[in-house]
Amino acid sequence: MCLISGITLAQRAIFAGNDYTGCEINAPMAMLGDFINGIVGPIFDATWSSLKAQYHQGLEETDLKQEQIKAHKAIAAASEAYYQNYRERHCKVKVLRRYGSGKDMGLDTIYTAVKFLSDADRRYFSTDHMEELYRQAGNRRFRVGSNERQDGLKVANAEQYLMVLGGPGVGKSTFLRKLGLESLKGAMKHEQMPVFIELKSFKSKEMSLEQAIVRELEISGFPYADSLVKSMLAEGRLLVLLDGLDEVPSSQVDNVIEQIQNFCDQHRKNRFVASCRVAAYKGGFNRFTDVTMAEFDNDQIREFVESWFSSKLDKESGTADTFWKLINQSENASAKDLAQTPLLLTFLCLVYDSSQALPTVRSTLYGDALDILLKKWAAEKRIRRDSIYQGFHADLEKVLLSEIAHDSFQKDQLFFSESEITERITTFLADTLDAPSHLDGAKVLNAIEVQQGILVERAAGVYSFSHLTLQEYLTARYISKKNLMQTLVENHLTDERWREIFLLVSGLLEEQAQDLWLLMEQQANGYLDLPKLQGLLQWLVDLSNKSDSSNQQLASRSWLLASAIAIAMTIDIDIVIASGSATATVSRSARAIARAIASARAIAIDSAIASAIAIDSAIASAIDMDIAIDIASASAIDMDIAIDIASASASANIDYNALATELEALQKQIPSGNATAQKWQNFADQLIETYLSFFKLDKSLIMFSLEEAQALENYLYSVKLIIDCKNAAVRVSRQEWEAIESRLLTPQQPPT
């Protein structure tokens, strides 16, 4: 083997052992193209006789030798250039320029291992079956059916013909580029030269795959590129990466498909990997094994986040860990839903990178995510839209999608049949004055699915929105545009499924959001139309400090209420212990009370943060944790009650020092482990009486019936939602909010 064109085993071992990631190259520059040189060089040597006959007829032998040496040097230089060109042209990621700094990121820097799914088990599921499977899964992901996942690179190593399918922005192009890079590094099973072809460039019938491959070699300076490509194809030394079958101009699709089929038949020794959006794929590639890219799971999201925030400063600051914890908080479940798609996860990372926080106005965040799918992603990739988009502009499409989202969400429907959604689109177009006459429902559905992936075919003829978050956002958009706040509040205030809708509507309404909060307050007060609950709220007002600000008073009232309800739960437990059994009514009441406690504590925390209330260390230490634990074991009173009491005392007219003294005395009276049940019951009763006395609380106010417990639960859930809606708003008038805040958790009725 010629030392110039060949690569020694020792060199290859060194090359394969180095990790050429990012911009750090650990091997000498001369070795960058050795892998390619080792493929092209021997083929050049084997074909030299025909090459010199074709290109150098009549030259003397000495001149021919010089031409051969010159060609060897050119191939070595071109091999190095090919490696560098591949990295520069195909391994730098720059997307969503509006949201980022515009800096390129190396493919190896942010690449996350791809996983493929087997979807055969859900291909013929009905809409009802899909609904049932989704609800059984109990999460926000629309993925149902088999969860078996295969490593993408392993599958690519095993299959000679591979069709990679997936929705927009899931990383199909990135995967193909990564395959080529791994091949250049000699890390793949088969020693072949990767050639990356963007099929969107096939804009006329005159273009051919072979010409496209030749052009890739010519760009790097390979001599005799035309002849070399023919020889490499004949020897089976190419890995042909065909990216974006769905991006081919519609007028050329049939031609390109036929070309690919014929090309694969003609050059069966080579390997081929193609990519296409699921919705655009019509089959016909009999040689190819079809695989579907899985949406990111938690491990992949975490891997991507750690790769994204990998700078020295990010590592020192723990940015990746902070972002990961943030996106896993319950209030960010909708953002986490978007993170399943790499494109939208990139968007979230860019947003967080710019401010080290996720926006509190989530309606803006999700609106931007929708716009990325509607138009920005296609613009980034320079995809030519089909003719349907000449009249079907983005604003009109948002109106259509909002209508579909709202109607289906109203019916608690997440999946719908193709005929159903086509009919909805057709009806919308017929009723829209400026809708182009050439549009029909089937074409619009196909365009939305293929180009944007906002609507996705989950099984044969069964569709859903790609993300529940997008359906929620579009539903909220419909409500705010149609001014349906009254209907929203009357029908869904305490329905947790609609919680995200309320938050989004609050953001979308901008300065009119307080109109929504007033409606919510009015509806919430309807749950208080019970004498006992009115009396309980009056107790809160009497005990709180009137000189505090409105948010300090709300914090105090909510802490006090959480403590009072916790005592109520303890009394219920004592009743059950005494009677030896629990009725279904008591059980339902206990669940309602438990949820009410959670809401009251959440309100208290939100209000305390807003007013910067600090829990005095003296208060915290006055109620010793050991005492609380002992008391809890004796009477089932949760230790959090002690914390609630301490916090409430910070802003209420209560002598907490007296309570601490009484608790210390009670600690000495805790029965021994072998004491009788009656002695334990007596101790629990004494403890309860201590708390009632401490709070100046009439026991009758917290002996709730099932109706009262459920009404209190609904009221506190509504109050917490009002506060959350305020936090999700674009602008909050201090004066108007303080007026609302001052009325919460009070028996006072809002003005009419």
Side-chain angles (χ1 to χ4, degrees), residues 2 16 26 212 263 296 324 470 542 592 594 690 713:
C2 174
N26 300 319
F263 195 80
F296 273 6
W324 177 249
L470 295 181
D542 293 342
T690 298
E713 175 200 354

Side-chain angles (χ1 to χ4, degrees), residues 444-565:
V444 171
L445 174 59
N446 181 68
I448 293 173
E449 183 188 12
V450 172
Q451 293 289 352
Q452 302 157 345
I454 296 173
L455 294 173
V456 177
E457 188 177 22
R458 301 292 181 178
V462 178
Y463 287 78
S464 76
F465 282 88
S466 58
H467 298 80
L468 178 57
T469 298
L470 295 181
Q471 185 176 8
E472 290 170 334
Y473 171 79
L474 288 163
T475 299
R477 185 182 184 277
Y478 182 88
I479 291 170
S480 61
K481 293 289 185 182
K482 295 288 186 179
N483 196 24
L484 298 176
M485 285 83 74
Q486 183 79 46
T487 302
L488 174 67
V489 171
E490 288 179 354
N491 295 333
H492 306 294
L493 180 60
T494 58
D495 186 345
E496 291 192 39
R497 190 172 69 88
W498 286 77
R499 179 181 181 277
E500 189 70 23
I501 307 296
F502 275 89
L503 301 178
L504 291 168
V505 170
S506 187
L508 289 167
L509 288 174
E510 298 183 348
E511 294 186 0
Q512 280 69 50
Q514 60 267 16
D515 295 339
L516 173 66
W517 310 336
L518 289 171
L519 289 171
M520 295 169 70
E521 181 191 2
Q522 183 179 6
Q523 181 83 358
N525 284 335
Y527 299 119
L528 295 176
D529 193 21
L530 296 168
K532 185 177 293 185
L533 298 186
Q534 290 287 330
L536 183 61
L537 294 186
Q538 186 60 55
W539 166 78
L540 291 178
V541 172
D542 293 342
L543 207 58
S544 59
N545 192 334
K546 307 301 186 298
S547 63
D548 287 340
S549 64
S550 61
N551 52 10
Q552 287 177 321
Q553 288 192 48
L554 181 58
S556 175
R557 292 195 297 268
S558 49
W559 280 122
L560 288 169
L561 186 57
S563 302
I565 303 171

Side-chain angles (χ1 to χ4, degrees), residues 77 99 162 218 281 316 528 540 617 621 678:
Y99 303 98
L162 189 66
E218 288 176 338
Y281 186 60
E316 291 174 351
L528 295 176
L540 291 178
S617 59
S621 61
Q678 186 59 50

Side-chain angles (χ1 to χ4, degrees), residues 379-392:
E380 290 274 350
K381 299 193 75 177
R382 298 298 187 264
I383 299 172
R384 290 185 62 187
R385 295 299 190 98
D386 291 331
S387 58
I388 189 171
Y389 283 98
Q390 294 175 5
F392 194 60

Side-chain angles (χ1 to χ4, degrees), residues 340-394:
Q340 299 171 69
T341 300
L343 172 64
L344 297 180
L345 177 55
T346 300
F347 162 66
L348 292 173
C349 288
L350 285 167
V351 170
Y352 184 80
D353 216 357
S354 66
S355 61
Q356 297 299 292
L358 289 178
T360 55
V361 184
R362 60 187 73 200
S363 56
T364 302
L365 182 71
Y366 304 153
D368 284 348
L370 177 64
D371 281 343
I372 287 170
L373 296 179
L374 277 173
K375 49 191 177 184
K376 292 185 177 63
W377 181 231
E380 290 274 350
K381 299 193 75 177
R382 298 298 187 264
I383 299 172
R384 290 185 62 187
R385 295 299 190 98
D386 291 331
S387 58
I388 189 171
Y389 283 98
Q390 294 175 5
F392 194 60
H393 52 82

Side-chain angles (χ1 to χ4, degrees), residues 105-117:
M105 297 190 72
L107 177 63
D108 274 343
T109 304
I110 61 170
Y111 178 78
T112 300
V114 165
K115 299 178 183 179
F116 293 140
L117 286 170

Side-chain angles (χ1 to χ4, degrees), residues 209-256:
L209 285 173
E210 187 167 327
Q211 289 173 350
I213 296 171
V214 169
R215 186 174 59 211
E216 289 296 306
L217 268 66
E218 288 176 338
I219 289 172
S220 296
F222 280 99
Y224 315 109
D226 197 15
S227 298
L228 285 176
V229 167
K230 292 183 186 301
S231 298
M232 284 192 287
L233 286 170
E235 294 292 327
R237 302 310 300 272
L238 290 182
L239 168 61
V240 184
L241 305 168
L242 303 169
D243 183 49
L245 181 61
D246 54 282
E247 297 174 12
V248 176
S250 56
S251 61
Q252 296 299 317
V253 170
D254 292 340
N255 170 51
V256 170

Side-chain angles (χ1 to χ4, degrees), residues 78-90:
S79 296
E80 179 181 329
Y82 191 84
Y83 180 90
Q84 292 175 321
N85 285 341
Y86 190 94
R87 293 192 67 90
E88 290 173 4
R89 294 171 63 203
H90 307 309

